[in-house]
Amino acid sequence: MLDRTRITNRTHNVYKLWTNYEYKMQIFWILFALVSMSRCEDYDDGGDLDSLLSDLFNTTMPTEMPSRVETCVTPNKRQGECVNFNLCGSARSNSDYVVNIRLLNGPCQSYLDVCCVPTNVQDQPKPVSKPFLPREGCGWRNPNGVGMVTIGDVNGEAKFGEFPWMVAVLKKEPMFPGGFKHIGGGSLIHPSVVVTGAHVVLAPNNAGRLMVRAGEWDTQTTKEPYPHQDRDVGNVIVHKDYKSRNLANDIALLFLNMPMMLAPNVGLACLPTLDQTMSPGTRCLASGWGKDQFGEVGKYQVILKKLELPVVGNQSCQKRLRMTRLGRYFNLDPSFMCAGGENGRDTCVGDGGSPLVCPVQTDRYVQAGIVAWGIGCGGTTPGVYTDVAKQRGWVDEQMTAAGYDTSSYTMKI
């Protein structure tokens, strides 16, 4: 981070120098003479110095870099090239290729690539042996993933496409690699609407800079079987009773400029009804790319993680929270619910806004909570979540006012 800051400062100083009018005028005649000697054609009178410099020194970056073939040696000692696992005709004829996400010493740099004899390389991905069959309605989890079989997920990594409603909330930051940074999670409840935490998106400089990514899994690659989808956020609606002091009513809706296309790795979450509460002890699932530990030692996750947590009753949760630095007079706002409290298992920094979903049928879930806050990470104190059931009326109200149908996130049993 320090090196990047120094580079940024130097770049900024150079930029100021080149944009200084007096300095431009000093070098203009030199450049004009050079260009006149090297070219016969005339320049348009409307051209400026920056265009001249760009043309002379070719300072523009190409839109696409030529791809390089990564060579390798197959297990049969044949010369091959590294291609995505579903582009190699010899990589298991039934297409259920097993991807080891912890493969560190394979023949290819990416664990999603295989060493393929050139004559077996295909232009189009092979059809999977068990095509994805869309299921009607929201809230469907894919516990075995979609598009590929993975092994090595021993640290709580989710399967690809396991939680199709999960989205990453991003903020456009030109100085960051990729042009944006991850600020939290959310869930897709309509192709054009995401629900997240108010504290994730409520910042003065967020206007016009938010975007949402659906269908993501491994943030360091784009070689998954199905692509992720990015959409700009057109409008943000925060709960009118949200309180930044204690994060009460910590919920917001993000309305996208364009709808997401539903796909095997992109689906919708179901929201509970107003009276649908989860009993204490119910085992629910949280997901996110947040830190694995609190503080500087914690690392953000590359592959989407999942965590099974028990629901904790509010009275029990308040009692345990009073044993922390919050003190014995702390009162848990009724807009919250709690989950967790098992040592080493907790949501953490960067998970804010992410969903907590609870089972109601086989492979079918409703979103009971939104990650709000907690005391540290991974301890025996439960984490605190926005109680989505108590916010269902507000969500319906906002959706109806915006002209959207509430049936997209309503489970029909």
Side-chain angles (χ1 to χ4, degrees), residues 217-408:
W217 181 61
D218 185 338
T219 62
Q220 302 300 299
T221 184
T222 56
K223 296 183 177 182
E224 294 102 325
Y226 301 99
H228 64 249
Q229 301 177 37
D230 290 345
R231 298 290 187 271
D232 287 336
V233 175
N235 190 26
V236 177
I237 297 182
V238 173
H239 197 291
K240 61 182 178 60
D241 295 324
Y242 168 68
K243 296 179 175 61
S244 59
R245 179 179 57 84
N246 65 352
L247 300 189
N249 299 299
D250 186 17
I251 186 172
L253 295 179
L254 309 181
F255 292 87
L256 311 181
N257 282 345
M258 289 181 58
M260 296 286 184
M261 299 296 293
L262 299 186
N265 60 328
V266 178
L268 304 178
C270 288
L271 301 189
T273 59
L274 280 168
D275 58 351
Q276 193 173 1
T277 59
M278 299 299 152
S279 303
T282 302
R283 306 294 294 189
C284 301
L285 290 167
S287 53
W289 289 275
K291 284 190 174 184
D292 56 358
Q293 297 181 59
F294 187 71
E296 294 182 359
V297 295
K299 297 179 180 179
Y300 285 95
Q301 305 306 299
V302 172
I303 294 178
L304 181 67
K305 289 291 189 75
K306 63 182 176 183
L307 193 62
E308 187 181 77
L309 300 168
V311 172
V312 178
N314 278 26
Q315 288 301 315
S316 176
C317 182
Q318 178 174 277
K319 182 178 180 181
R320 291 164 75 173
L321 287 169
R322 286 179 173 180
M323 298 170 63
T324 70
R325 64 175 182 268
L326 296 174
R328 58 179 177 170
Y329 299 111
F330 171 77
N331 289 316
L332 184 66
D333 191 89
S335 66
F336 293 124
M337 64 169 290
C338 299
E342 298 177 339
N343 196 31
R345 302 169 65 86
D346 195 9
T347 50
C348 199
V349 178
D351 286 325
S354 297
L356 175 76
V357 297
C358 300
V360 291
Q361 297 177 2
T362 302
D363 295 341
R364 205 169 188 194
Y365 292 72
V366 295
Q367 182 176 349
I370 299 170
V371 177
W373 60 275
I375 303 296
C377 299
T380 56
T381 304
V384 182
Y385 300 74
T386 300
D387 191 333
V388 178
K390 293 176 181 175
Q391 305 294 348
R392 175 63 191 258
W394 177 83
V395 172
D396 287 354
E397 190 177 303
Q398 307 311 312
M399 292 288 286
T400 301
Y404 291 111
D405 191 351
T406 62
S407 64
S408 64

Side-chain angles (χ1 to χ4, degrees), residues 94-227:
N94 65 359
S95 298
D96 285 336
Y97 184 76
V98 177
V99 175
N100 185 351
I101 66 172
R102 303 215 176 280
L103 185 63
L104 299 177
N105 57 352
C108 300
Q109 293 183 16
S110 172
Y111 66 90
L112 289 173
D113 285 347
V114 295
C115 190
C116 190
V117 176
T119 54
N120 289 333
V121 176
Q122 300 180 351
D123 293 331
Q124 298 295 325
K126 298 176 297 182
V128 296
S129 61
K130 298 178 181 178
F132 177 78
L133 298 176
R135 291 168 287 189
E136 184 179 356
C138 56
W140 290 104
R141 174 191 172 205
N142 300 309
N144 297 318
V146 294
M148 64 179 177
V149 178
T150 57
I151 60 173
D153 40 5
V154 296
N155 280 337
E157 291 88 356
K159 301 291 186 181
F160 175 70
E162 182 172 358
F163 303 100
W165 51 77
M166 181 72 203
V167 304
V169 180
L170 310 172
K171 181 179 178 181
K172 297 176 184 177
E173 292 282 2
M175 299 310 299
F176 273 68
F180 53 81
K181 70 175 181 179
H182 173 264
I183 60 173
S187 53
L188 195 67
I189 62 171
H190 182 281
S192 296
V193 186
V194 166
V195 63
T196 184
H199 78 274
V200 174
V201 297
L202 195 62
N205 61 347
N206 277 353
R209 300 174 63 185
L210 295 177
M211 58 184 288
V212 166
R213 173 169 293 180
E216 181 62 282
W217 181 61
D218 185 338
T219 62
Q220 302 300 299
T221 184
T222 56
K223 296 183 177 182
E224 294 102 325
Y226 301 99

